[in-house]
Amino acid sequence: MSLEIVPGTGTSMSSGASGTARVESSTGVPDEAYEVDAIYEPDPELVAAVKGFEDRFLDRELSWLRFNQRVLELAEDESQPLLERARFLAIFTSNLDEFFMVRVAGLKRRIVAGLAVRAASGLMPREVLEQIWTTTRELSSRQAGLFRDQIVPALVAHDIELVRWDDLDRDEQKACKRLFRDRIFPVLTPLAVDPAHPFPYISGLSLNLAVVIRDPQSDKEHFARVKVPQTFDRFIPLSAAAGAGKGARFVPLEDVISAHLKRLFPGMEVLEAHTFRVTRNEDLEVEEDDAENLLAALEKELLRRRFGPPVRLEVEESISDAVLDLLVSELGISQEEVFRLPGPLDLRGLHGIADLSREELKYPAFVPTTHQRLAEVESSAPVDVFKAARRHDVLLHHPYDSFATSVQRFIEQAAADPHVLAIKQTLYRTSGDSPIIDALIDAADAGKQVLVIVEIKARFDEQANIRWARKLEQAGCHVVYGIVGLKTHCKLALVVRDEGGSGHGIRRYTHIGTGNYNSKTARMYEDLGLITTDEAIGEDVAHLFNNLSGWSRNASYEHLLVAPDSVRSGLVEQIHAEIAHHAAGRPSGVRLKANSVVDEGIIDALYLASQEGVKVELLVRGICALRPGVPGLSENITVRSILGRFLEHSRVAWFEGGGEPTAWIGSADMMHRNLDRRVEVLVRLPHPDSIASVGAMLDTAFDDDTRAWVLGSDGSWASNEGSVHLQESLIEGQRRRRTTS
């Protein structure tokens, strides 16, 4: 039995007469109807009371920095395996790089363009920037200190040494000299700076050496730049044992180059050599309305990205004032954008250290298993996804449920099945050697109709997506780039199969997920996905694909919420329905799981629910602009964050529904870009057992004994030091199912 509250126009739940809620059985047939105040209309005074809290929103940029601080805290956590701590340091670096390339660059651009409007948090862009400089400087120093004082000594204790050039013995230095002569030296290109040689362009995120040399004949000093090539390992292994793991010693690549600079500047005296790194604005701007060919316009903009203005300069703390002044002047960097740090810079290279074959220093091995409903009978034959889906919906939870034997198998089976007539799929990000792409090409080769909605504007994956788009087109697939002005971010796959022989006729098989069709990230990202033959859902998805590939803009769907038309309004109405349930004395509650919660409309609806007594629980991995625990505003709201070996990526909206819960999963985060500038999809889970599965996962996540960070009303996060680890408990549950099946 499920209680369905009557929505307004544009949402996806079935409606009855105004003011009536219908109790339906799992077959969808109404059992009874009773009069309730089904449509909650907020009291204007209550809405005004919410909006009266002028400081009710936390700043999104500063909240993101607190997220990356939580990543750093994982690296600081001595209970984490050592090489995983090193990896979290690398992730922290990559995260901060992207933050500067996109968010800081955007703030600076708005200030320069005179578009510096006050944020929802009440802060002006200049005020946000000043706090960013302070916070990032503190976090970067904290990261460098952690690496030097804790991670490096701990690695040494396990026979993994990260050493500097002066720490090498004579044999190691000789080996590095041979390596430099034979492999590194031929790649290097020293660039001098003088009246005939202007200051060279410094590419974003490249590691460089600022070298000061002196001509012994003229006694004049000169500046030169040497780029550290990215074609070599960031940390050079010093012995054959390094490859096997035990007794491994590594030296930074830039140290090897610095020690041999005389080979690059023969006859000159090398006075100084300092490492530095520049971060540039690398966000793309493509005016689609003015671009006749989106691929060509994007390729042109990708070339322009390389020359974006600098937004950060990182230098080793040993750099001389004279060299730093030269870099600041030539790069057009302000002093507040300079970060002096202990070396080595660019700790992204720690991924290579974390990949060492030292399993005792990593998380225990984990192998995803085939979902029970896809492998009800143990067999060596490939999974028959169609047969399983006809029996029952399959709710997948990656990476615990194997992506390869579910979603990937679904597309591969569709490509090979002679009864399949058409495959339609969205692609946002996919892996370099994608089996999904190969299957779609095979399907087109077999004469099937294949439609692929490729989002070539997926940030930092544009180049790869352009390649896949062209490859798919050459194979005969219909490739579409979605709707002008909107990124297509939804995760959909639709298979049309002719089952006339079984008496059914045409049947649609649908997959709707929260994560990308990427077989590599599916092993690291936590995501949900639904495989179903539900006819109403299949028809909705078919209409949506027609909207994306054609001219139609149908905004009404039975079982979907689709941005930019109805995700925000649909969720707000669901939240309002919980207020109505609470007012009528029925069970009520809202649970949201998302990567980010920023949208003011959603947040204000949650504040209103809290004021009216509804319990609201949020599980947010990254940014949260909602301020919980404020008296008179959000006493009934709690916000938690869980980070770990897997990246929590699924989006879930769960509502108590008067005792008959409903749950939605999909691609949309609670952010302006998702709700207003992207095509996003949330699907209502059609069966009670799927809803119960999601509810059980959320029960564990929100349990007081589950380890998490808890958000305070001041925007700070504190660990609750719980004894239960959500991801470990899910892994253990999967192992128990495997041993008992």
Side-chain angles (χ1 to χ4, degrees):
M1 303 271 288
S2 63
L3 176 70
E4 299 197 335
I5 299 298
V6 178
T9 304
T11 64
S12 63
M13 290 177 289
S14 59
S15 60
S18 178
T20 301
R22 301 189 299 167
V23 177
E24 297 191 355
S25 67
S26 60
T27 62
V29 179
D31 291 337
E32 58 179 314
Y34 59 91
E35 294 295 323
V36 297
D37 183 15
I39 300 179
Y40 172 79
E41 293 293 342
D43 186 327
E45 292 185 4
L46 295 177
V47 174
V50 168
K51 296 183 181 297
F53 288 83
E54 294 182 356
D55 62 344
R56 65 190 186 278
F57 301 116
L58 298 169
D59 188 82
R60 61 157 293 163
E61 316 299 355
L62 302 181
S63 179
W64 185 93
L65 289 176
R66 295 306 174 198
F67 152 67
N68 211 29
Q69 178 179 322
R70 298 196 292 280
V71 175
L72 184 58
E73 288 174 7
L74 282 174
E76 293 171 332
D77 184 355
E78 295 182 5
S79 71
Q80 298 287 332
L82 179 57
L83 290 183
E84 306 298 348
R85 295 175 67 191
R87 192 181 303 282
F88 283 124
L89 280 180
I91 293 171
F92 173 90
T93 300
S94 299
N95 286 348
L96 199 57
D97 289 345
E98 184 171 336
F99 178 74
F100 272 91
M101 288 189 292
V102 178
R103 302 307 306 177
V104 174
L107 284 170
K108 289 188 65 177
R109 189 167 59 240
R110 288 197 291 276
I111 292 172
V112 171
L115 302 175
V117 297
R118 196 174 297 278
S121 63
L123 298 176
M124 294 294 290
R126 170 54 61 183
E127 296 174 297
V128 176
L129 271 180
E130 289 172 356
Q131 293 194 43
I132 287 173
W133 303 136
T134 301
T135 304
T136 53
R137 188 166 280 106
E138 291 173 354
L139 291 177
S140 296
S141 297
R142 183 169 156 185
Q143 179 202 25
L146 172 64
F147 173 72
R148 179 191 60 215
D149 301 331
Q150 294 187 38
I151 301 300
V152 168
L155 289 170
V156 170
H158 290 86
D159 296 323
I160 302 171
E161 297 181 75
L162 304 183
V163 297
R164 305 307 296 263
W165 180 261
D166 291 339
D167 300 318
L168 303 187
D169 61 33
R170 182 178 297 273
D171 289 339
E172 289 172 332
Q173 289 188 354
K174 286 183 178 179
C176 287
K177 183 176 182 179
R178 289 193 297 271
L179 175 68
F180 180 85
R181 180 193 63 208
D182 297 340
R183 294 184 55 78
I184 301 174
F185 177 73
V187 178
L188 299 180
T189 304
L191 296 175
V193 176
D194 59 29
H197 301 86
F199 193 86
Y201 174 77
I202 310 296
S203 55
L205 301 186
S206 63
L207 199 61
N208 303 271
L209 290 172
V211 184
V212 178
I213 55 178
R214 180 166 56 203
D215 186 333
Q217 295 183 352
S218 65
D219 206 34
K220 287 186 177 181
E221 295 184 2
H222 302 278
F223 176 86
R225 172 259 193 161
V226 177
K227 182 176 180 178
V228 178
Q230 297 175 319
T231 51
F232 300 101
D233 290 337
R234 176 71 180 79
F235 293 98
I236 301 296
L238 293 169
S239 65
K246 295 291 185 181
R249 278 168 64 86
F250 299 85
V251 64
L253 175 58
E254 65 270 22
D255 281 19
V256 177
I257 297 172
S258 295
H260 297 88
L261 286 174
K262 289 184 178 180
R263 290 286 308 274
L264 289 173
F265 305 99
M268 306 293 282
E269 182 181 354
V270 178
L271 303 179
E272 301 178 49
H274 308 284
T275 311
F276 71 97
R277 183 171 180 255
V278 175
T279 311
R280 294 184 177 276
N281 174 4
E282 297 202 15
D283 203 12
L284 291 178
E285 293 182 279
V286 178
E287 295 294 335
E288 295 181 53
D289 292 337
D290 299 330
E292 292 183 6
N293 186 318
L294 185 57
L295 252 67
L298 190 61
E299 287 173 325
K300 183 177 180 181
E301 187 64 26
L302 282 168
L303 291 174
R304 193 178 303 151
R305 169 190 272 177
R306 296 172 47 212
F307 301 96
V311 293
R312 179 180 57 164
L313 172 62
E314 297 169 277
V315 298
E316 278 200 273
E317 58 187 5
S318 59
I319 194 170
S320 67
D321 291 340
V323 173
L324 179 57
D325 289 344
L326 175 66
L327 292 175
V328 168
S329 173
E330 292 291 346
L331 292 169
I333 283 279
S334 65
Q335 288 294 336
E336 60 191 358
E337 295 169 318
V338 176
F339 289 73
R340 298 185 76 141
L341 300 166
L345 303 180
D346 189 8
L347 294 182
R348 293 178 301 172
L350 288 175
H351 279 299
I353 304 300
D355 288 337
L356 288 173
S357 298
R358 296 290 298 273
E359 302 309 314
E360 76 278 14
L361 301 179
K362 298 181 181 182
Y363 290 125
F366 167 74
V367 179
T369 57
T370 300
H371 191 285
Q372 284 179 303
R373 284 186 173 151
L374 296 176
E376 294 186 355
V377 179
E378 188 171 347
S379 170
S380 60
V383 171
D384 189 332
V385 180
F386 297 151
K387 183 178 180 180
R390 286 195 298 271
R391 286 196 299 261
H392 206 290
D393 285 355
V394 180
L395 180 66
L396 301 162
H397 194 188
H398 308 299
Y400 313 102
D401 295 321
S402 168
F403 181 87
T405 60
S406 57
V407 179
Q408 181 180 318
R409 172 60 185 158
F410 175 49
I411 303 301
E412 291 174 338
Q413 184 179 350
D417 190 332
H419 298 291
V420 168
L421 306 178
I423 303 174
K424 301 183 180 185
Q425 186 164 3
T426 60
L427 289 179
Y428 190 75
R429 303 182 196 273
T430 190
S431 52
D433 52 350
S434 171
I436 298 287
I437 296 285
D438 293 340
L440 293 173
I441 290 173
D442 290 344
D445 288 342
K448 295 175 172 60
Q449 292 291 314
V450 179
L451 171 69
V452 188
I453 312 294
V454 178
E455 182 45 74
I456 57 175
K457 302 185 298 300
R459 182 179 287 151
F460 302 125
D461 277 342
E462 298 94 346
Q463 203 74 265
N465 286 356
I466 288 172
R467 287 197 300 271
W468 290 126
R470 296 202 185 283
K471 185 175 181 179
L472 288 164
E473 285 177 327
Q474 292 166 2
C477 300
H478 301 295
V479 178
V480 178
Y481 306 117
I483 298 172
V484 170
L486 298 175
K487 280 189 179 182
T488 304
H489 188 249
C490 50
K491 324 299 182 185
L492 307 172
L494 179 68
V495 172
V496 181
R497 192 169 187 265
D498 185 356
E499 299 180 354
S502 64
H504 186 277
I506 298 295
R507 192 194 301 267
R508 296 187 180 100
Y509 295 79
T510 307
H511 173 265
I512 302 177
T514 68
N516 300 308
Y517 292 102
N518 187 317
S519 57
K520 291 184 178 178
T521 59
R523 295 192 289 268
M524 299 176 290
Y525 284 29
E526 178 271 343
D527 273 302
L528 292 165
L530 174 70
I531 298 178
T532 181
T533 59
D534 185 286
E535 293 185 8
I537 292 176
E539 186 170 354
D540 275 355
V541 172
H543 283 311
L544 179 55
F545 271 112
N546 290 341
N547 295 344
L548 292 172
S549 63
W551 292 104
S552 170
R553 283 299 305 276
N554 172 38
S556 179
Y557 301 89
E558 287 296 317
H559 289 268
L560 306 179
L561 296 176
V562 180
D565 297 307
S566 63
V567 171
R568 180 187 287 110
S569 61
L571 291 177
V572 167
E573 288 180 10
Q574 292 275 277
I575 295 167
H576 287 173
E578 294 307 303
I579 298 175
H581 282 306
H582 182 78
R586 294 186 295 274
S588 64
V590 177
R591 287 175 165 179
L592 295 181
K593 181 179 185 295
N595 293 281
S596 298
V597 176
V598 174
D599 184 75
E600 292 85 5
I602 299 288
I603 292 175
D604 277 348
L606 295 173
Y607 283 149
L608 186 63
S610 173
Q611 286 186 329
E612 291 294 278
V614 177
K615 185 178 181 180
V616 176
E617 296 174 298
L618 304 183
L619 186 60
V620 184
R621 176 175 61 90
I623 307 168
C624 183
L626 181 146
R627 196 187 291 272
V630 176
L633 178 69
S634 54
E635 297 104 323
N636 293 307
I637 303 179
T638 56
V639 182
R640 312 181 109 214
S641 183
I642 293 177
L643 305 179
R645 68 183 294 176
F646 305 132
L647 186 145
E648 293 289 326
H649 191 252
S650 65
R651 292 90 165 184
V652 179
W654 188 94
F655 303 95
E656 184 64 44
E660 297 289 343
T662 58
W664 302 73
I665 66 169
S667 59
D669 279 309
M670 305 299 104
M671 303 181 73
H672 304 148
R673 71 184 187 191
N674 299 88
L675 305 183
D676 297 323
R677 302 191 298 276
R678 290 184 174 186
V679 179
E680 305 275 14
V681 169
L682 297 179
V683 61
R684 185 181 58 177
L685 297 179
H687 286 286
D689 56 349
S690 296
I691 298 169
S693 295
V694 171
M697 182 266 289
L698 294 176
D699 284 342
T700 304
F702 289 114
D703 189 278
D704 289 338
D705 199 32
T706 296
R707 187 169 186 177
W709 284 267
V710 180
L711 178 61
S713 59
D714 62 352
S716 64
W717 294 82
S719 174
N720 68 350
E721 302 298 334
S723 62
V724 175
H725 293 255
L726 174 65
Q727 296 177 355
E728 290 179 10
S729 68
L730 291 170
I731 289 174
E732 183 57 33
Q734 179 233 47
R735 286 175 177 154
R736 284 197 300 269
R737 289 192 298 273
R738 184 169 54 193
T739 56
T740 57
S741 60

